[in-house]
Structure formats: structure tokens, C-alpha cells
């Protein structure tokens, strides 16, 4: 059963970690959304790229950031120690490109979610991220696109779908305008879906 946000549903304080690789618009949006929450704390941002704009945005908003190499990401001892240090309960992927190692999926079963810029199962899988997705949507002549929030599993973009939101496309839309339309959905709905999922779990 989905809870209405207006309900006075008291859950324990949940610490989330946001994993990012790029610009950080979703990361910043999520941090701001939960900034004054009594129930959710953005306790940590993890990036695989020190130069990612998301790093600076998170630090400016007062959120600790840890940069991890590919080797560190796939080292269970390193990652579990880091996540325990910040008492992380839940992981949110927001433009994080590396595959999540199996040990994290096993340690956080149905506690890791991801956002994808298409209506999965269309245009998902390895190599399908960012502009690659929007270019494929344009090339196929789709009349709609959207965003998908899904659970993370060992299969890339293969987890159960939590929520999808759609937007109509026009024949004259370019890959860039398709991206812009889809991004509006991400900004509006991703924090809401995170909040809903956390209420259902915790």
C-alpha cells in the first residue's frame, strides 16, 4: 500500500548515500529536497570521478563526499567500511555509471534504486546512458519517452520497475530537446519516489 505524503507516518531517521558520476543535478535536487527533513538525511555522496561537478555541489550543500576508484568500488572491505562509517541505510544512484558490485546488491537487497532516462525495458542495458539513450529514442521515432526508477540488481537496468513517468514527443524534437523534456520529469519526481519508497520500507 502506498502511503500519502500527508499522512503522519513516523519512520526512523534514514541515512542515504547518493552515488554520482557527472553533473549532479539530480544529486543536488535530492539533497535540497531532504535538507530539512526529520526523517531522511543525505549522509554521504560517493563519486567515481573527483572532477565531477556533483562533488562540488554536494560539498557546497554541506554533504560529505568520498571519491572511490574502480578498484575501491569493487573492494568489499573498502566499501562496506565506508558505508558503515556513515551508517548508510539506503543507496540512491543519480547518474552513477559504473556497475554496482554484487556484494553491495546482496548487502542492500531492495535498498538500492536507480533512475534511467527512458521507459524501460526500452533503451536500457550496458552503454545506454545519457545522450546515448535520447539519441536512440530520436532515431526510433518514438512518440513518447520518460523516466524509470527501478531496483538495482546484478543485471544492468534489469531490476523491477518502481515507477515510470511519461512525456509526449514531437516529430521535430531533437535528442537535446528530448533530454530536456525527460530531465524535467527527473527533477519533479525522483525525490518523491525516493520518499515514497523510504516510507514503505522504514
Amino acid at each position: 500500500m502506498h502511503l500519502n505524503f500527508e499522512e503522519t507516518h513516523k519512520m526512523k531517521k534514514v541515512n542515504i548515500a547518493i552515488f554520482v558520476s557527472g553533473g549532479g543535478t539530480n544529486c543536488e535536487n535530492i539533497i535540497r529536497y531532504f535538507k530539512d527533513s526529520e526523517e531522511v538525511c543525505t549522509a554521504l555522496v560517493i563519486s567515481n570521478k573527483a572532477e565531477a561537478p556533483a562533488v562540488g555541489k554536494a560539498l557546497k550543500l554541506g554533504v560529505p563526499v568520498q571519491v572511490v576508484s574502480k578498484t575501491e568500488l569493487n573492494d568489499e572491505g573498502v566499501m562496506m567500511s565506508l558505508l558503515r562509517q556513515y551508517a548508510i541505510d539506503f543507496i540512491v544512484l543519480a547518474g552513477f555509471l559504473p556497475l554496482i558490485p554484487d556484494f553491495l546488491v546482496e548487502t542492500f537487497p531492495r535498498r538500492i534504486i536507480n533512475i534511467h532516462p527512458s521507459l524501460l525495458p526500452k533503451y536500457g542495458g550496458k552503454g545506454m546512458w545519457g545522450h546515448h539513450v535520447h539519441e536512440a529514442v530520436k532515431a526510433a521515432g518514438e512518440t513518447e519517452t520518460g523516466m524509470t526508477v527501478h531496483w538495482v540488481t546484478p543485471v544492468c537496468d534489469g531490476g523491477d520497475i518502481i515507477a515510470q513517468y511519461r512525456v509526449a514527443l514531437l516529430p521535430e524534437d531533437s535528442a537535446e530537446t528530448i533530454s530536456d523534456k525527460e530531465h524535467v520529469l527527473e527533477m519533479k519526481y525522483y525525490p518523491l519516489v525516493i520518499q515514497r519508497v523510504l516510507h514503505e520500507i522504514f
Side-chain angles (χ1 to χ4, degrees), residues 119-153:
L119 296 170
L120 292 175
K122 288 185 173 183
Y123 311 109
K126 187 176 180 180
M128 294 303 289
W129 54 271
H131 67 94
H132 301 290
V133 174
H134 304 305
E135 288 167 1
V137 168
K138 173 62 178 177
E142 296 282 2
T143 59
E144 66 174 3
T145 190
M147 58 168 275
T148 302
V149 182
H150 64 92
W151 294 113
V152 173
T153 69

mmCIF file of all heavy atoms in Angstrom, residues 119-153:
data_model
loop_
_atom_site.group_PDB
_atom_site.id
_atom_site.type_symbol
_atom_site.label_atom_id
_atom_site.label_comp_id
_atom_site.label_asym_id
_atom_site.label_seq_id
_atom_site.Cartn_x
_atom_site.Cartn_y
_atom_site.Cartn_z
ATOM 1 N N LEU A 119 11.826 4.750 -20.890
ATOM 2 C CA LEU A 119 10.781 3.890 -20.344
ATOM 3 C C LEU A 119 11.240 2.440 -20.481
ATOM 4 O O LEU A 119 10.952 1.767 -21.473
ATOM 5 C CB LEU A 119 9.461 4.138 -21.084
ATOM 6 C CG LEU A 119 8.884 5.544 -20.916
ATOM 7 C CD1 LEU A 119 7.722 5.772 -21.869
ATOM 8 C CD2 LEU A 119 8.443 5.780 -19.475
ATOM 9 N N LEU A 120 12.001 1.988 -19.480
ATOM 10 C CA LEU A 120 12.460 0.599 -19.511
ATOM 11 C C LEU A 120 11.269 -0.334 -19.665
ATOM 12 O O LEU A 120 10.180 -0.029 -19.214
ATOM 13 C CB LEU A 120 13.215 0.282 -18.215
ATOM 14 C CG LEU A 120 14.547 0.996 -18.016
ATOM 15 C CD1 LEU A 120 15.116 0.665 -16.618
ATOM 16 C CD2 LEU A 120 15.568 0.615 -19.081
ATOM 17 N N PRO A 121 11.452 -1.480 -20.361
ATOM 18 C CA PRO A 121 12.723 -2.072 -20.792
ATOM 19 C C PRO A 121 13.297 -1.493 -22.093
ATOM 20 O O PRO A 121 14.338 -1.949 -22.555
ATOM 21 C CB PRO A 121 12.373 -3.541 -20.971
ATOM 22 C CG PRO A 121 10.930 -3.523 -21.374
ATOM 23 C CD PRO A 121 10.315 -2.398 -20.588
ATOM 24 N N LYS A 122 12.655 -0.486 -22.667
ATOM 25 C CA LYS A 122 13.218 0.123 -23.871
ATOM 26 C C LYS A 122 14.483 0.914 -23.535
ATOM 27 O O LYS A 122 14.525 1.623 -22.540
ATOM 28 C CB LYS A 122 12.210 1.079 -24.517
ATOM 29 C CG LYS A 122 11.029 0.399 -25.200
ATOM 30 C CD LYS A 122 10.169 1.441 -25.905
ATOM 31 C CE LYS A 122 9.082 0.796 -26.750
ATOM 32 N NZ LYS A 122 8.300 1.819 -27.492
ATOM 33 N N TYR A 123 15.479 0.785 -24.370
ATOM 34 C CA TYR A 123 16.694 1.610 -24.331
ATOM 35 C C TYR A 123 17.443 1.517 -23.000
ATOM 36 O O TYR A 123 17.899 2.513 -22.456
ATOM 37 C CB TYR A 123 16.354 3.065 -24.667
ATOM 38 C CG TYR A 123 15.515 3.170 -25.906
ATOM 39 C CD1 TYR A 123 14.170 3.539 -25.835
ATOM 40 C CD2 TYR A 123 16.041 2.837 -27.153
ATOM 41 C CE1 TYR A 123 13.384 3.602 -26.974
ATOM 42 C CE2 TYR A 123 15.258 2.890 -28.302
ATOM 43 C CZ TYR A 123 13.928 3.277 -28.202
ATOM 44 O OH TYR A 123 13.145 3.322 -29.330
ATOM 45 N N GLY A 124 17.537 0.302 -22.489
ATOM 46 C CA GLY A 124 18.315 0.061 -21.286
ATOM 47 C C GLY A 124 19.490 -0.846 -21.577
ATOM 48 O O GLY A 124 19.727 -1.252 -22.714
ATOM 49 N N GLY A 125 20.243 -1.149 -20.545
ATOM 50 C CA GLY A 125 21.365 -2.070 -20.678
ATOM 51 C C GLY A 125 22.703 -1.368 -20.793
ATOM 52 O O GLY A 125 22.800 -0.141 -20.750
ATOM 53 N N LYS A 126 23.734 -2.153 -20.963
ATOM 54 C CA LYS A 126 25.105 -1.652 -20.991
ATOM 55 C C LYS A 126 25.296 -0.617 -22.100
ATOM 56 O O LYS A 126 24.884 -0.807 -23.237
ATOM 57 C CB LYS A 126 26.077 -2.815 -21.202
ATOM 58 C CG LYS A 126 27.538 -2.424 -21.076
ATOM 59 C CD LYS A 126 28.445 -3.639 -21.192
ATOM 60 C CE LYS A 126 29.905 -3.230 -21.059
ATOM 61 N NZ LYS A 126 30.819 -4.403 -21.176
ATOM 62 N N GLY A 127 25.921 0.478 -21.753
ATOM 63 C CA GLY A 127 26.211 1.535 -22.719
ATOM 64 C C GLY A 127 25.067 2.495 -22.969
ATOM 65 O O GLY A 127 25.241 3.504 -23.654
ATOM 66 N N MET A 128 23.898 2.192 -22.410
ATOM 67 C CA MET A 128 22.733 3.055 -22.629
ATOM 68 C C MET A 128 22.562 3.991 -21.434
ATOM 69 O O MET A 128 21.941 3.652 -20.430
ATOM 70 C CB MET A 128 21.475 2.210 -22.848
ATOM 71 C CG MET A 128 21.529 1.397 -24.130
ATOM 72 S SD MET A 128 21.785 2.408 -25.621
ATOM 73 C CE MET A 128 20.203 3.231 -25.736
ATOM 74 N N TRP A 129 23.170 5.154 -21.569
ATOM 75 C CA TRP A 129 23.058 6.173 -20.531
ATOM 76 C C TRP A 129 23.097 7.539 -21.210
ATOM 77 O O TRP A 129 23.598 7.695 -22.322
ATOM 78 C CB TRP A 129 24.199 6.055 -19.510
ATOM 79 C CG TRP A 129 25.575 6.080 -20.108
ATOM 80 C CD1 TRP A 129 26.297 5.006 -20.545
ATOM 81 C CD2 TRP A 129 26.391 7.233 -20.369
ATOM 82 N NE1 TRP A 129 27.509 5.400 -21.046
ATOM 83 C CE2 TRP A 129 27.598 6.774 -20.955
ATOM 84 C CE3 TRP A 129 26.221 8.612 -20.154
ATOM 85 C CZ2 TRP A 129 28.622 7.637 -21.339
ATOM 86 C CZ3 TRP A 129 27.245 9.464 -20.536
ATOM 87 C CH2 TRP A 129 28.437 8.980 -21.108
ATOM 88 N N GLY A 130 22.524 8.531 -20.525
ATOM 89 C CA GLY A 130 22.594 9.913 -21.001
ATOM 90 C C GLY A 130 22.188 10.101 -22.443
ATOM 91 O O GLY A 130 21.137 9.628 -22.896
ATOM 92 N N HIS A 131 23.060 10.783 -23.197
ATOM 93 C CA HIS A 131 22.712 11.159 -24.573
ATOM 94 C C HIS A 131 22.547 9.947 -25.484
ATOM 95 O O HIS A 131 21.821 10.004 -26.473
ATOM 96 C CB HIS A 131 23.768 12.112 -25.138
ATOM 97 C CG HIS A 131 25.115 11.482 -25.343
ATOM 98 N ND1 HIS A 131 25.504 10.934 -26.544
ATOM 99 C CD2 HIS A 131 26.163 11.301 -24.488
ATOM 100 C CE1 HIS A 131 26.739 10.456 -26.425
ATOM 101 N NE2 HIS A 131 27.155 10.659 -25.198
ATOM 102 N N HIS A 132 23.193 8.827 -25.139
ATOM 103 C CA HIS A 132 23.030 7.613 -25.949
ATOM 104 C C HIS A 132 21.564 7.171 -25.972
ATOM 105 O O HIS A 132 21.056 6.729 -27.003
ATOM 106 C CB HIS A 132 23.900 6.481 -25.392
ATOM 107 C CG HIS A 132 25.360 6.794 -25.347
ATOM 108 N ND1 HIS A 132 26.130 6.904 -26.484
ATOM 109 C CD2 HIS A 132 26.185 7.046 -24.302
ATOM 110 C CE1 HIS A 132 27.375 7.198 -26.138
ATOM 111 N NE2 HIS A 132 27.435 7.298 -24.818
ATOM 112 N N VAL A 133 20.917 7.295 -24.830
ATOM 113 C CA VAL A 133 19.505 6.909 -24.732
ATOM 114 C C VAL A 133 18.649 7.855 -25.553
ATOM 115 O O VAL A 133 17.804 7.417 -26.356
ATOM 116 C CB VAL A 133 19.050 6.917 -23.253
ATOM 117 C CG1 VAL A 133 17.537 6.662 -23.171
ATOM 118 C CG2 VAL A 133 19.811 5.886 -22.450
ATOM 119 N N HIS A 134 18.844 9.148 -25.396
ATOM 120 C CA HIS A 134 17.996 10.124 -26.088
ATOM 121 C C HIS A 134 18.197 10.062 -27.606
ATOM 122 O O HIS A 134 17.237 10.230 -28.369
ATOM 123 C CB HIS A 134 18.294 11.522 -25.548
ATOM 124 C CG HIS A 134 18.121 11.629 -24.062
ATOM 125 N ND1 HIS A 134 16.940 11.286 -23.440
ATOM 126 C CD2 HIS A 134 18.982 12.018 -23.083
ATOM 127 C CE1 HIS A 134 17.082 11.469 -22.126
ATOM 128 N NE2 HIS A 134 18.308 11.908 -21.897
ATOM 129 N N GLU A 135 19.408 9.806 -28.028
ATOM 130 C CA GLU A 135 19.667 9.656 -29.469
ATOM 131 C C GLU A 135 18.964 8.417 -30.021
ATOM 132 O O GLU A 135 18.436 8.437 -31.138
ATOM 133 C CB GLU A 135 21.172 9.587 -29.718
ATOM 134 C CG GLU A 135 21.866 10.935 -29.515
ATOM 135 C CD GLU A 135 23.380 10.820 -29.440
ATOM 136 O OE1 GLU A 135 23.905 9.698 -29.564
ATOM 137 O OE2 GLU A 135 24.046 11.869 -29.258
ATOM 138 N N ALA A 136 18.930 7.347 -29.235
ATOM 139 C CA ALA A 136 18.245 6.130 -29.668
ATOM 140 C C ALA A 136 16.737 6.333 -29.732
ATOM 141 O O ALA A 136 16.061 5.843 -30.646
ATOM 142 C CB ALA A 136 18.584 4.975 -28.717
ATOM 143 N N VAL A 137 16.213 7.069 -28.768
ATOM 144 C CA VAL A 137 14.779 7.380 -28.762
ATOM 145 C C VAL A 137 14.415 8.204 -30.001
ATOM 146 O O VAL A 137 13.415 7.931 -30.675
ATOM 147 C CB VAL A 137 14.404 8.138 -27.468
ATOM 148 C CG1 VAL A 137 12.999 8.728 -27.570
ATOM 149 C CG2 VAL A 137 14.495 7.211 -26.258
ATOM 150 N N LYS A 138 15.250 9.185 -30.324
ATOM 151 C CA LYS A 138 15.019 10.016 -31.505
ATOM 152 C C LYS A 138 15.110 9.186 -32.779
ATOM 153 O O LYS A 138 14.245 9.284 -33.667
ATOM 154 C CB LYS A 138 16.045 11.154 -31.537
ATOM 155 C CG LYS A 138 16.012 11.993 -32.820
ATOM 156 C CD LYS A 138 14.681 12.690 -33.005
ATOM 157 C CE LYS A 138 14.697 13.554 -34.266
ATOM 158 N NZ LYS A 138 13.360 14.187 -34.504
ATOM 159 N N ALA A 139 16.130 8.357 -32.878
ATOM 160 C CA ALA A 139 16.336 7.542 -34.086
ATOM 161 C C ALA A 139 15.185 6.577 -34.324
ATOM 162 O O ALA A 139 14.854 6.256 -35.478
ATOM 163 C CB ALA A 139 17.645 6.771 -33.975
ATOM 164 N N ALA A 140 14.560 6.129 -33.254
ATOM 165 C CA ALA A 140 13.450 5.176 -33.379
ATOM 166 C C ALA A 140 12.126 5.862 -33.689
ATOM 167 O O ALA A 140 11.124 5.186 -33.964
ATOM 168 C CB ALA A 140 13.324 4.364 -32.094
ATOM 169 N N GLY A 141 12.105 7.188 -33.636
ATOM 170 C CA GLY A 141 10.869 7.913 -33.925
ATOM 171 C C GLY A 141 9.797 7.736 -32.871
ATOM 172 O O GLY A 141 8.600 7.759 -33.171
ATOM 173 N N GLU A 142 10.215 7.580 -31.626
ATOM 174 C CA GLU A 142 9.244 7.379 -30.536
ATOM 175 C C GLU A 142 8.350 8.607 -30.375
ATOM 176 O O GLU A 142 8.792 9.752 -30.573
ATOM 177 C CB GLU A 142 9.976 7.111 -29.220
ATOM 178 C CG GLU A 142 10.793 5.834 -29.194
ATOM 179 C CD GLU A 142 9.946 4.590 -29.002
ATOM 180 O OE1 GLU A 142 8.698 4.708 -28.916
ATOM 181 O OE2 GLU A 142 10.536 3.492 -28.944
ATOM 182 N N THR A 143 7.115 8.371 -29.996
ATOM 183 C CA THR A 143 6.173 9.465 -29.753
ATOM 184 C C THR A 143 6.107 9.851 -28.276
ATOM 185 O O THR A 143 5.421 10.804 -27.914
ATOM 186 C CB THR A 143 4.769 9.082 -30.223
ATOM 187 O OG1 THR A 143 4.343 7.894 -29.525
ATOM 188 C CG2 THR A 143 4.759 8.816 -31.725
ATOM 189 N N GLU A 144 6.807 9.089 -27.444
ATOM 190 C CA GLU A 144 6.884 9.429 -26.024
ATOM 191 C C GLU A 144 8.181 8.872 -25.453
ATOM 192 O O GLU A 144 8.794 7.965 -26.013
ATOM 193 C CB GLU A 144 5.692 8.877 -25.240
ATOM 194 C CG GLU A 144 5.641 7.371 -25.183
ATOM 195 C CD GLU A 144 4.539 6.843 -24.278
ATOM 196 O OE1 GLU A 144 3.761 7.653 -23.731
ATOM 197 O OE2 GLU A 144 4.469 5.618 -24.096
ATOM 198 N N THR A 145 8.597 9.458 -24.367
ATOM 199 C CA THR A 145 9.718 8.934 -23.605
ATOM 200 C C THR A 145 9.398 9.174 -22.144
ATOM 201 O O THR A 145 8.269 9.499 -21.797
ATOM 202 C CB THR A 145 11.058 9.579 -24.015
ATOM 203 O OG1 THR A 145 12.142 8.866 -23.401
ATOM 204 C CG2 THR A 145 11.132 11.038 -23.613
ATOM 205 N N GLY A 146 10.383 9.031 -21.304
ATOM 206 C CA GLY A 146 10.114 9.256 -19.892
ATOM 207 C C GLY A 146 11.254 8.786 -19.035
ATOM 208 O O GLY A 146 12.370 8.555 -19.526
ATOM 209 N N MET A 147 10.975 8.659 -17.747
ATOM 210 C CA MET A 147 11.988 8.194 -16.803
ATOM 211 C C MET A 147 11.475 6.972 -16.073
ATOM 212 O O MET A 147 10.273 6.798 -15.884
ATOM 213 C CB MET A 147 12.324 9.278 -15.789
ATOM 214 C CG MET A 147 11.133 9.764 -14.997
ATOM 215 S SD MET A 147 11.549 10.786 -13.559
ATOM 216 C CE MET A 147 11.858 9.542 -12.301
ATOM 217 N N THR A 148 12.413 6.127 -15.687
ATOM 218 C CA THR A 148 12.089 4.929 -14.924
ATOM 219 C C THR A 148 12.924 4.906 -13.659
ATOM 220 O O THR A 148 14.122 5.159 -13.699
ATOM 221 C CB THR A 148 12.400 3.656 -15.741
ATOM 222 O OG1 THR A 148 11.657 3.677 -16.971
ATOM 223 C CG2 THR A 148 12.032 2.403 -14.961
ATOM 224 N N VAL A 149 12.290 4.622 -12.548
ATOM 225 C CA VAL A 149 13.009 4.351 -11.312
ATOM 226 C C VAL A 149 12.872 2.856 -11.045
ATOM 227 O O VAL A 149 11.763 2.311 -11.093
ATOM 228 C CB VAL A 149 12.443 5.156 -10.126
ATOM 229 C CG1 VAL A 149 13.255 4.871 -8.861
ATOM 230 C CG2 VAL A 149 12.442 6.649 -10.437
ATOM 231 N N HIS A 150 14.014 2.206 -10.793
ATOM 232 C CA HIS A 150 13.970 0.751 -10.637
ATOM 233 C C HIS A 150 14.931 0.291 -9.555
ATOM 234 O O HIS A 150 15.883 0.994 -9.200
ATOM 235 C CB HIS A 150 14.305 0.052 -11.969
ATOM 236 C CG HIS A 150 15.701 0.312 -12.450
ATOM 237 N ND1 HIS A 150 16.767 -0.509 -12.140
ATOM 238 C CD2 HIS A 150 16.229 1.311 -13.217
ATOM 239 C CE1 HIS A 150 17.874 -0.036 -12.703
ATOM 240 N NE2 HIS A 150 17.574 1.069 -13.352
ATOM 241 N N TRP A 151 14.676 -0.910 -9.061
ATOM 242 C CA TRP A 151 15.596 -1.522 -8.108
ATOM 243 C C TRP A 151 16.859 -1.951 -8.836
ATOM 244 O O TRP A 151 16.808 -2.349 -10.006
ATOM 245 C CB TRP A 151 14.958 -2.748 -7.453
ATOM 246 C CG TRP A 151 13.788 -2.442 -6.576
ATOM 247 C CD1 TRP A 151 12.483 -2.784 -6.795
ATOM 248 C CD2 TRP A 151 13.795 -1.737 -5.336
ATOM 249 N NE1 TRP A 151 11.683 -2.332 -5.771
ATOM 250 C CE2 TRP A 151 12.476 -1.677 -4.857
ATOM 251 C CE3 TRP A 151 14.813 -1.144 -4.581
ATOM 252 C CZ2 TRP A 151 12.137 -1.060 -3.669
ATOM 253 C CZ3 TRP A 151 14.477 -0.525 -3.383
ATOM 254 C CH2 TRP A 151 13.147 -0.484 -2.933
ATOM 255 N N VAL A 152 17.973 -1.862 -8.144
ATOM 256 C CA VAL A 152 19.251 -2.287 -8.714
ATOM 257 C C VAL A 152 19.488 -3.753 -8.397
ATOM 258 O O VAL A 152 19.348 -4.190 -7.243
ATOM 259 C CB VAL A 152 20.409 -1.426 -8.164
ATOM 260 C CG1 VAL A 152 21.762 -1.974 -8.611
ATOM 261 C CG2 VAL A 152 20.239 0.016 -8.624
ATOM 262 N N THR A 153 19.829 -4.507 -9.429
ATOM 263 C CA THR A 153 20.171 -5.919 -9.319
ATOM 264 C C THR A 153 21.496 -6.130 -10.054
ATOM 265 O O THR A 153 22.023 -5.203 -10.672
ATOM 266 C CB THR A 153 19.083 -6.804 -9.958
ATOM 267 O OG1 THR A 153 19.103 -6.616 -11.383
ATOM 268 C CG2 THR A 153 17.707 -6.473 -9.412
#
